[in-house]
Amino acid sequence: MALLLSLLFFSLFSSAILRGKFSYGKGDYVFREHPIQFIAVLVFIFSLSVLCFYQFLTQS
Protein backbone atom coordinates (compact mmCIF):
# COMPACT_ATOMS: atom_id res chain seq x y z
CA MET A 1 0.00 0.00 0.00
CA ALA A 2 2.83 2.39 0.84
CA LEU A 3 4.44 1.75 -2.54
CA LEU A 4 1.16 2.46 -4.31
CA LEU A 5 0.71 5.72 -2.42
CA SER A 6 4.30 6.66 -3.14
CA LEU A 7 3.79 6.14 -6.87
CA LEU A 8 0.52 8.06 -6.77
CA PHE A 9 2.03 11.08 -5.04
CA PHE A 10 5.11 11.01 -7.27
CA SER A 11 2.98 10.88 -10.42
CA LEU A 12 0.93 13.85 -9.16
CA PHE A 13 4.17 15.71 -8.42
CA SER A 14 5.75 14.98 -11.80
CA SER A 15 2.61 15.85 -13.79
CA ALA A 16 2.31 19.16 -11.91
CA ILE A 17 5.95 19.96 -12.70
CA LEU A 18 5.53 19.15 -16.39
CA ARG A 19 2.24 21.03 -16.85
CA GLY A 20 2.96 23.92 -14.49
CA LYS A 21 -0.44 23.61 -12.84
CA PHE A 22 -2.73 21.21 -11.04
CA SER A 23 -6.16 21.20 -9.46
CA TYR A 24 -7.15 19.73 -6.15
CA GLY A 25 -10.73 20.02 -5.03
CA LYS A 26 -11.91 23.51 -5.88
CA GLY A 27 -8.42 25.02 -5.77
CA ASP A 28 -6.30 25.58 -8.85
CA TYR A 29 -2.58 25.95 -8.36
CA VAL A 30 -0.79 27.64 -11.27
CA PHE A 31 2.91 28.43 -11.11
CA ARG A 32 2.61 31.71 -13.05
CA GLU A 33 -0.13 33.10 -10.82
CA HIS A 34 0.95 31.88 -7.38
CA PRO A 35 4.53 30.56 -7.45
CA ILE A 36 5.02 30.39 -3.67
CA GLN A 37 1.82 28.41 -3.06
CA PHE A 38 2.58 26.14 -6.01
CA ILE A 39 6.08 25.37 -4.76
CA ALA A 40 4.89 24.86 -1.18
CA VAL A 41 2.21 22.38 -2.25
CA LEU A 42 4.67 20.56 -4.52
CA VAL A 43 7.20 20.25 -1.71
CA PHE A 44 4.46 18.83 0.50
CA ILE A 45 3.38 16.30 -2.15
CA PHE A 46 6.98 15.29 -2.82
CA SER A 47 7.65 14.83 0.89
CA LEU A 48 4.57 12.60 1.17
CA SER A 49 5.90 10.54 -1.70
CA VAL A 50 9.30 10.17 -0.06
CA LEU A 51 7.71 9.31 3.29
CA CYS A 52 5.52 6.61 1.75
CA PHE A 53 8.48 5.15 -0.12
CA TYR A 54 10.52 5.15 3.12
CA GLN A 55 7.68 3.34 4.88
CA PHE A 56 7.64 0.77 2.09
CA LEU A 57 11.38 0.18 2.41
CA THR A 58 11.39 -0.13 6.21
CA GLN A 59 8.37 -2.46 6.36
CA SER A 60 9.78 -4.91 3.83
Side-chain angles (χ1 to χ4, degrees):
M1 185 68 182
L3 181 62
L4 180 65
L5 283 174
S6 173
L7 292 174
L8 179 73
F9 286 129
F10 188 72
S11 66
L12 180 64
F13 171 78
S14 57
S15 72
I17 289 289
L18 291 175
R19 292 186 304 147
K21 64 178 181 172
F22 69 95
S23 298
Y24 180 73
K26 292 186 179 180
D28 293 329
Y29 297 94
V30 180
F31 178 72
R32 290 184 177 92
E33 292 178 10
H34 307 286
I36 301 299
Q37 291 175 342
F38 184 77
I39 291 171
V41 170
L42 283 184
V43 167
F44 178 72
I45 291 171
F46 185 71
S47 64
L48 282 176
S49 174
V50 169
L51 178 67
C52 289
F53 190 68
Y54 177 74
Q55 284 292 105
F56 171 72
L57 290 177
T58 56
Q59 287 178 0
S60 296

